[in-house]
Amino acid sequence: MTARRLATGGRIDRSLSVTVQFDRRSFPAHPEDTLASALLAGGQLIVGRSFKYHRPRGLVAAGVEETNALVHLREGGRHEPNAQATMVEVFDGLTSTPQNAWPNLQFDVGAVNGLMSRFFGAGFYYKTFIGPFSGTKFWMFWERFIRKASGMGRASTLRDPDHYEKINAFCDVLIVGAGPAGIAAALAAGRRGDNVILVEQDRDLGGSLLSEPVGAPSDAWLAQAAAELHDLPNVRVLTRTTAFGAYDCEVFGLLERVQDHVRAPEEGKPRQRYWIVRTKRAILATGAIERPMVFAGNDIPGVMLTSAVRTYLNRYAVLAGERIVVATNNDSAYTAAIELANSGAKVTICDLRREIPAQLGENARNAGIDLRPGYAVLKVLGGKCVKAAYVVPVTPEGKASGRGVRIACDLVTVSGGWTPTLHLWSQRFGKPQYDKELATFLPSKNGAFTCVGSLVGSPSLRDALLQGHKAGGGVGKEPALFGHADFWGRNLMPVAVITKADGSTPGKAFVDFQHDVKLADIDQAHLEGYVSVEHLKRYTTSGMATDQGKTSNLNALARMSTLRGMDIPAVGTTTFRPPYTPVTIGALVAHDRGLHVRPTRLSTIHGWHEENGAEMIDAGVWLRPWYYPAKGEDINDAYIREAAHVREHVGIVDVSTLGKIAVQGPDAAEFLNRIYVNGFKTLPIGKLRYGIMLRDDGFVFDDGATARLGDNEYFMTTTTANAANVLARAEYLLQTAWRDLKVHVTSVTDQWAAMAIAGPKSRNVLSAITGSDVSNKALPNNHFAHVTIANVACRLHRMSFSGELAYELYVPAKRGREIWEALIAAGAPFNLRPYGLEAMGALRIEKGHIAGSEIEGRTTLKDLGLEGFASSKKPFIGSVLRRRPVLEDPSRPSLVGLEIIGDSSTRAGSILYALNAPAKGHGEGWVSAVTYSPALKKNIALALLSRGPERFGETIQVVDFVGNQTWQAIVVSHHFFDPEGHRQNA
């Protein structure tokens, strides 16, 4: 292959030069080049090694359909694997390295796989582990090497220094593809005043027009159209942007490569931008991709798509070869062949068709082309480059029918027809329709998208322009109808597979270059019964990875249809799914990472916690005080001190994160009666009640306390983690199942700050600051009162989560810090101190209260010892399914306490076993929460143990498989501290 840069022509900027590196070699290039065009101009024949056989591979295409030239780009944190060299814009200092080759690109040890290709046919990875050796250490040994060989490039583990953006956009018309049809549509829609977004994956507008020779009639129209689109204020043009996904309700995903074409993004600019576009209507002008031909040696470097060779010639001024064989079955290859001949190449056309349109034949011969009707390439000869093509006369079925001839050449171009790029259409509307005349699939007319241009097989540039103009609204002057030549022509012979007379090939003939899927693999899949197109795809891996069927699908389907004796439409097509081309995870995530994965919520008292040295911890979406360390304390010292202080004196904790829901309406009591297992209709005004909710399947959903504020008004609290889920569940039920209930539910979590005051001196603190009677008689347990603190009206609930005399105070959120500081000041004489989430957890474990680690989706009322709360006088959500036999099984794990023997503490998640039982399998239960109890002076835990209450006093094993540790523990009641409740009822 003797590729070279021409002295004139092309759309590159010859006034500037840059240098790029590939495989430690430097290549000169110009702005407007791609890495692929720079490598081709520099004579780099081999750009990669194939996935399975490690065969040398060269460039095949010039766009996103490239299957071979996948390279590593850049170094360090900006390292990017699997980049298509055809889509990489050059910049000075661009570094790239080949993939899938060791020790180097020229000599790859992995090429030995090609010698053993009979063992690596279709489905070899399935068959490898089936047989007499399956399950033995023999295959366990080889599995490591198979896994190491899998994959294409290698991703970096370093931190990405760049940032990415995510943006939502709305428009009247989204046009995907800025070729002639797309531009015509954008002009028409823009002129009529529509809000238009025009998307083009290339850096320039024009599509196929950019592959025309410089100075062609289309250039003036293209320049004028681009200028008008730029001047229209209602048209947004997004170049370097790929529409990768089409979703319901006309929502599209776009990826804009904002700064991929420079060494490092400019300060303040994202590297890539992810667009979520919602449009009223969409116009697809995504064009078509030329189809390869299948013959022996069709993967040797120097076998390329004819359209790609034309693009390199006219756009990048690179002549890809000096002696060229053009293999075709249609009219579209002739324009390229003539242009190549006019550029100084010696060209031979092998056209499968015996009858060629007279004008085409005359034009070819006038250009000095050796025209051979009825001939096809049976085999390309060469190893690391093309040396010759063996061409033979063929039958209409593509089988050799006579003596062939060897033609010395350095480039073979192929044109087996065209495949419309209907990926986006198919993502929404499924199966396309087969056009027998064009021998390809086209989008059907029942989709909501308007399809134009080559996507629907427009016969000429003129037709494509008119279709785009009409789709855009047809307002204003019609587009200049220049160029009447066929786009891809309709005189196509639907044969792309060339074989010997017996149907075999004289060497490896590839259908999918990226995955080394040979024609023989399709035949093998048919032989073994994998005839469904979806099974064929997965069994052979044809059409997967970045290719996504762009060049391989139709030839694979055609071969299967021949083997089955059926038409291609009867064989069917695979389903295209997003993304159309690879999308970086960084772009999808954008700013939604770290603390920005979801908004971090802070209570109105948060500032005080930080100022007073609190260590914070994530609790769902909230940031909460974890502990308040004294000098030299770690978390263990701090939480033990804080918990002990609450038991001895009084403590205060910020519980603003509790879910708070206002339940209002004449049927509020009935609503609560249905969602809670216990009764709420009889709850008097001024009281509150602990309640438990179940899911429909009978498992515990959430718990909390609800206060009755008036006849038709309740104040519900939920756990922090389930606040949104409880609200969503309530709204769902009221909008669907219980539409007759007159109830409103409203989240008021952000309207109220809340703090719990607990400990034997808590009543003293509140009495001093409120001036109200909060005695046991005036404010019994599970009652509330309205009080005033610092001239702020507050609501004081008497209830305990710690097992101590305790209260919860609800105050307007904006006054939260003010009230907190007033309490701290008023509590100073009583030694009031703040405590954090860790101490609160220790207190609740001592008391045996359940929390999120016990309400984890698999536990029932009976498991948690809460069966007595369930009313037998009313139905409630989950009341029927909680009685399923499997949930009534007495051997189910149920809640117990564990006293850990020894000084060390176990870990949550540890597995429980009988003392003398082997520590294997799932065990008899698990530890849900652990702590050191300052009240009991020992390590304790809550756990769920099979037949738990029957086993009080038994010693069991507690095994932590992750930490490889084992403890012993005594099974006790989970009510470790003050089981009679004397302290909380004081």
Side-chain angles (χ1 to χ4, degrees), residues 119-136:
F119 302 109
F120 293 102
F124 80 95
Y125 35 83
Y126 298 120
K127 299 169 186 174
T128 299
F129 298 101
I130 300 175
F133 299 107
S134 61
T136 68

Side-chain angles (χ1 to χ4, degrees), residues 592-619:
D592 298 338
R593 57 188 174 86
L595 294 177
H596 301 289
V597 170
R598 50 188 174 183
T600 302
R601 303 183 70 181
L602 308 175
S603 80
T604 55
I605 313 169
H606 180 82
W608 188 93
H609 302 315
E610 286 191 322
E611 293 165 15
N612 286 271
E615 290 289 332
M616 310 302 291
I617 188 173
D618 291 321

Side-chain angles (χ1 to χ4, degrees), residues 17 25 32 72 75 122 148 156 271 273-274 282 354 368 381 397 400 438 445 557 586 698 736 755 927 965:
S17 295
R25 285 183 56 199
E32 308 295 324
H72 285 141
E75 298 172 343
K148 188 174 181 180
S156 172
R271 179 174 173 181
R273 184 178 291 123
Y274 169 34
R354 295 187 179 277
L381 307 174
E397 293 77 31
L438 296 175
K445 296 181 180 180
L557 297 178
T736 57
M755 50 212 78
V927 175
Q965 291 180 284

